[in-house]
Amino acid sequence: MRLAIFGLVLLVAGGVTVAAGILPWHEVAVLVDRVAPILGFVVAMTVVTELVSEAGAFEWIARRLGRWGRGSSVLLWLLLAFFAAVSTIFLSLDTTAVLLTPVVVTVAKQAGLPVLPFALTTVWLANTASLLLPVSNLTNLLAQHHLGSISPAQFAQLMWAPSLAAVLVPMAFIAVVFRRDLRRAYPRNASAPATPGPSKTIVPSKTTGPSKAAGDRVLLSVSAVVLVLLLPALVSGTAIWIPATTAAAVLLVTFAVRRPKALKVALVPWSLLLFTCGLFLVVEAAQYLGASSLLGEAAGQGEGFPDLLRLALTGALGANVVNNLPAYLLAEPLAESPLRMAALLVGVNAGPLVAPWASLATLLWHDRLKRMNVLIAWKGYAVFGLIVAPPTILTAIACLSLAAAAGLTG
């Protein structure tokens, strides 16, 4: 509700700029033409992931991961981290934050392990692993359009090096800080919640059990097939809204037959849509008034390592001051080349690890934790973020520069 109210305020403010003639109508038309397919994709993917979760697919995967961990905390952690990275890369960071967080908490709880290292892994990878593909993040979709609608393969070729670094650095931090927790063993047949032992935590935490898996094998099977077919379709080069909409339609029909009560208006992320539309309109007006030119003084120019790092840090600072989406939109005109665009994406995607509002995914993650009575203080989260974010950005930009120098970015 707060997000919807804030979005409505932004939308009204943007409408005022249009009515006052500050933002011309033709600029609004160009904006709509650019973002409408992207928002359509966001809606379709939200419906897909919500219904896949309702079918019990994520909980099914969680149970398998618990078994594959073979009683080793570090192996279980690596499997969950891999799952979080794959979920983020192919289904977006918001999907990971909203749907995977309860799964991860449940797996840790049932294994009798401390929740914190698993929860932090989820939210950090939701942000930092969102660099590789256009579908991973809304900022990536906007960047793909700005780069001339390059193919997902070309986008991945540009972003693979910083994306790898942005995943490994936070994981290395967690491996060191929580090394004692990750050395622990857990019962292989753990199926009931157990009380975690002592660990390093930001604040003491407690969890409640998850919702039970749906148990409808038809829904689960259809959801699995849809996911298996959808993931390669999203990177095939086809306009992404087409496979996403097709997948959503298949699931909607299946649920209409098998479980119609699950089809609710709330499947559509109305608050997010309202917030995003208002944000787009306000930022477009700010750009038209020259806000990007002022930001250019901080972002600099050039494609050398110091120049790329400067742009990335500018994006990261903007994301943690306001939010990563407006930070990207304001700095987008300053990314005159693919390398500079890659550096900006590192800043606005891998940089929002400090402020809770820097990424919508972080807020969604924290909301899911609160619903499960897992208490993590923002102060402790920010302290960890201040430690992790700078080396993550530095390493990612260093890898980007080295890959570019070696001719490995396309």
Side-chain angles (χ1 to χ4, degrees):
M1 181 60 68
R2 292 178 182 176
L3 188 65
I5 293 173
F6 191 41
L8 182 60
V9 171
L10 289 174
L11 201 59
V12 170
V16 170
T17 64
V18 176
I22 298 174
L23 180 63
W25 276 105
H26 68 86
E27 294 290 345
V28 177
V30 171
L31 178 65
V32 171
D33 182 65
R34 179 187 182 189
V35 305
I38 294 174
L39 293 181
F41 164 77
V42 171
V43 171
M45 283 303 298
T46 301
V47 172
V48 168
T49 52
E50 289 286 354
L51 292 180
V52 166
S53 178
E54 175 68 22
F58 286 90
E59 292 187 19
W60 184 89
I61 294 173
R63 289 195 297 272
R64 295 305 181 276
L65 293 179
R67 295 175 186 173
W68 295 342
R70 298 180 177 274
S72 168
S73 297
V74 67
L75 180 56
L76 179 62
W77 172 66
L78 290 173
L79 288 170
L80 288 170
F82 176 77
F83 187 25
V86 171
S87 171
T88 299
I89 290 169
F90 290 98
L91 300 177
S92 86
L93 72 169
D94 293 336
T95 295
T96 300
V98 172
L99 300 180
L100 190 57
T101 298
V103 171
V104 169
V105 169
T106 300
V107 170
K109 181 68 175 177
Q110 289 181 344
L113 299 174
V115 171
L116 185 59
F118 295 91
L120 280 179
T121 299
T122 304
V123 71
W124 281 354
L125 291 187
N127 286 285
T128 63
S130 68
L131 284 168
L132 187 61
L133 293 177
V135 298
S136 308
N137 200 320
L138 181 55
T139 55
N140 296 6
L141 292 171
L142 295 168
Q144 181 190 29
H145 184 277
H146 187 74
L147 292 171
S149 297
I150 61 175
S151 69
Q154 291 173 315
F155 191 95
Q157 189 176 6
L158 173 65
M159 300 301 303
W160 71 269
S163 178
L164 182 61
V167 168
L168 293 180
V169 173
M171 287 190 64
F173 176 86
I174 290 175
V176 172
V177 174
F178 299 99
R179 58 189 179 277
R180 293 182 180 177
D181 294 332
L182 297 178
R183 288 174 184 166
R184 296 176 55 180
Y186 66 91
R188 292 192 182 189
N189 60 349
S191 59
T195 303
S199 69
K200 294 183 181 180
T201 56
I202 295 177
V203 297
S205 62
K206 56 181 180 177
T207 61
T208 59
S211 59
K212 295 182 178 179
D216 190 319
R217 292 187 177 181
V218 173
L219 287 178
L220 185 59
S221 299
V222 172
S223 299
V225 171
V226 167
L227 278 183
V228 169
L229 296 177
L230 177 60
L231 298 189
L234 291 175
V235 297
S236 65
T238 306
I240 55 174
W241 65 269
I242 296 176
T245 303
T246 302
V250 170
L251 288 173
L252 286 170
V253 171
T254 306
F255 269 84
V257 174
R258 302 289 300 185
R259 193 181 302 161
K261 291 183 179 180
L263 302 182
K264 303 175 182 178
V265 178
L267 285 175
V268 178
W270 300 108
S271 297
L272 178 61
L273 282 178
L274 193 60
F275 171 77
T276 304
C277 290
L279 193 60
F280 275 131
L281 201 56
V282 169
V283 173
E284 186 70 19
Q287 284 181 326
Y288 198 76
L289 292 173
S292 295
S293 300
L294 295 175
L295 192 62
E297 297 295 327
Q301 297 177 339
E303 295 185 351
F305 172 73
D307 304 305
L308 296 179
L309 182 60
R310 182 177 174 182
L311 177 57
L313 291 174
T314 301
L317 179 61
N320 283 287
V321 169
V322 281
N323 178 267
N324 65 338
L325 184 55
Y328 167 81
L329 291 172
L330 289 173
E332 184 185 66
L334 308 176
E336 307 93 346
S337 67
L339 269 185
R340 285 184 62 79
M341 177 57 75
L344 174 60
L345 289 176
V346 168
V348 298
N349 289 1
L353 301 181
V354 182
W357 56 80
S359 166
L360 179 61
T362 303
L363 293 174
L364 295 172
W365 165 81
H366 195 261
D367 178 68
R368 284 299 184 270
L369 291 181
K370 285 200 304 182
R371 293 186 185 190
M372 300 185 74
N373 293 325
V374 178
L375 309 177
I376 294 181
W378 282 126
K379 181 180 179 181
Y381 177 85
V383 169
F384 275 179
L386 284 170
I387 298 172
V388 173
T392 299
I393 296 171
L394 180 64
T395 307
I397 295 300
C399 290
L400 174 65
S401 297
L402 290 174
L408 299 177
T409 56

